[in-house]
Amino acid sequence: MNKSSMDALYDRLRERCTDTRTKEPMKKHTTFQVGGPADYFITPGSTEELRAVLELCREEGIPFFILGNGSNLLVSDQGYRGAVIHIGKAFSEIRTEGTRVTAGAGAMLSRVAMKAWEEGLTGLEFASGIPGTLGGAMVMNAGAYGGEMVQVVKRATVLTKEGALRTLGLSELDMGYRKSCILPMGYVVLETEMELAFGDRARIRETMDDLSARRKEKQPLEFPSAGSTFKRPEGYFAGKLIMDAGLAGFSVGGACVSEKHCGFVVNRGGASAQDIMKLCREVRQRVRERFGVTLEMEVKTLGEFL
């Protein structure tokens, strides 16, 4: 797309959402802290703005990507030739009624878990340290320490590809290990309703503090990363396979397999997205050669990689 076409499209996007930027560095919006510029970076202030932006992107054939906190994402050094649509503060409201918690897709999962604790509700303790948004958690059925979103979700309100609002029950969401129907169906999550249970606030807090201590002890939280880099292969643990392949501390440029937890690839400083990708490919190859197990990336990728 030439500059005049990009400028014209920028103007049209701005008519639909004033918070539209061009050439936005994606390293500012991912927990890996890497990634080149997105052609357009849009933060809708309402469902109506979101619908209007998506409609224009589809009309004009502009590729788009829905972004939450960027905590499970690797963006290429060349960036993204399309529109990144950030589901942010305007979609972060959290409401409670009895044992029901309803929250917007832009709410941080840790904030939702904290609100549940404040209301004396148990069931979301596992989510208190997950660094993503509720929308992202719904896309991949996020989980940790034996808990998963599927255990608490009742229904979700989504925007369909046709721009219609639709409410999906738990069975319709088709939530499984690190998956749901959201991406395959082209839905955008707007809001999720969860059903928890009343519990003892002191015990809930104790569980959250215990999980936080375990994370600090076992995970490389001192370095930028995207959390667990690979999905758990059936019958195995990705981190143990990587460790047993002798890859603890293995590095490419500024990217490194964490010695603290081999399931994490971290940015030790100055890593490029290509460093991270090259390292992940090498890890997959060596684990496959050694154990006959093919690791699948849990981290999503955006943009072109060599």
Side-chain angles (χ1 to χ4, degrees):
M1 189 183 299
N2 60 42
K3 187 177 185 304
S4 60
S5 298
M6 287 192 68
D7 289 345
L9 186 53
Y10 170 71
D11 290 339
R12 294 181 68 193
L13 286 166
R14 284 263 304 174
E15 288 172 2
R16 288 153 177 81
C17 176
T18 54
D19 193 350
T20 296
R21 288 169 262 173
T22 58
K23 301 300 179 185
E24 178 72 5
M26 288 304 295
K27 66 182 179 181
K28 292 167 57 176
H29 302 283
T30 65
T31 56
F32 256 138
Q33 296 179 14
V34 301
D39 285 350
Y40 307 99
F41 189 89
I42 306 158
T43 305
S46 66
T47 298
E48 290 70 30
E49 286 191 357
L50 173 61
R51 182 188 277 119
V53 166
L54 288 170
E55 184 179 13
L56 178 60
C57 287
R58 289 183 172 121
E59 277 178 9
E60 297 297 326
I62 307 161
F64 63 86
F65 180 82
I66 305 297
L67 178 75
N69 192 49
S71 58
N72 191 48
L73 182 66
L74 177 62
V75 182
S76 80
D77 299 313
Q78 288 71 43
Y80 182 58
R81 304 288 71 82
V84 172
I85 302 171
H86 179 220
I87 306 299
K89 189 176 179 180
F91 297 87
S92 62
E93 183 186 8
I94 304 170
R95 307 187 303 276
T96 62
E97 183 180 343
T99 56
R100 184 185 309 147
V101 177
T102 305
M108 291 296 294
L109 207 50
S110 54
R111 269 192 64 233
V112 182
M114 188 64 70
K115 180 66 173 177
W117 165 70
E118 290 170 359
E119 299 293 328
L121 297 172
T122 183
L124 268 178
E125 291 88 334
F126 75 90
S128 59
I130 296 175
T133 59
L134 181 56
M138 290 297 294
V139 168
M140 64 175 294
N141 184 26
Y145 296 105
E148 290 182 305
M149 292 304 298
V150 69
Q151 298 166 0
V152 295
V153 169
K154 294 296 288 183
R155 59 185 61 87
T157 301
V158 302
L159 200 58
T160 70
K161 286 190 288 189
E162 294 73 35
L165 290 175
R166 185 176 173 196
T167 299
L168 303 173
L170 179 59
S171 61
E172 295 172 286
L173 287 162
D174 191 27
M175 301 177 83
Y177 177 64
R178 300 299 175 264
K179 75 173 187 73
S180 71
C181 76
I182 304 296
L183 278 185
M185 296 300 293
Y187 295 147
V188 178
V189 181
L190 298 177
E191 187 175 84
T192 298
E193 182 183 313
M194 294 153 281
E195 185 67 40
L196 305 181
F198 287 117
D200 180 80
R201 289 181 80 250
R203 189 167 295 176
I204 295 167
R205 182 79 243 189
E206 185 180 318
T207 300
M208 290 167 68
D209 289 344
D210 175 59
L211 293 181
S212 176
R214 287 164 66 182
R215 280 189 181 90
K216 287 175 183 173
E217 178 189 354
K218 296 181 179 179
Q219 297 180 9
L221 303 180
E222 65 273 26
F223 294 110
S225 78
S228 296
T229 308
F230 299 96
K231 293 181 181 179
R232 185 180 68 239
E234 191 171 349
Y236 300 90
F237 291 98
K240 188 171 190 317
L241 287 170
I242 295 166
M243 182 176 66
D244 291 348
L247 293 168
F250 173 68
S251 63
V252 173
C256 179
V257 174
S258 170
E259 295 178 89
K260 196 173 186 179
H261 190 317
C262 289
F264 285 66
V265 171
V266 298
N267 179 356
R268 291 291 295 263
S272 66
Q274 193 59 42
D275 288 342
I276 295 169
M277 179 58 78
K278 188 174 179 182
L279 183 144
C280 290
R281 287 170 176 164
E282 186 67 22
V283 166
R284 292 183 78 231
Q285 182 178 330
R286 294 198 192 183
V287 167
R288 187 167 52 240
E289 288 172 353
R290 180 79 182 273
F291 302 109
V293 178
T294 300
L295 295 177
E296 183 182 347
M297 292 273 285
E298 182 169 314
V299 174
K300 307 298 182 189
T301 60
L302 186 65
E304 298 290 327
F305 289 88
L306 300 176

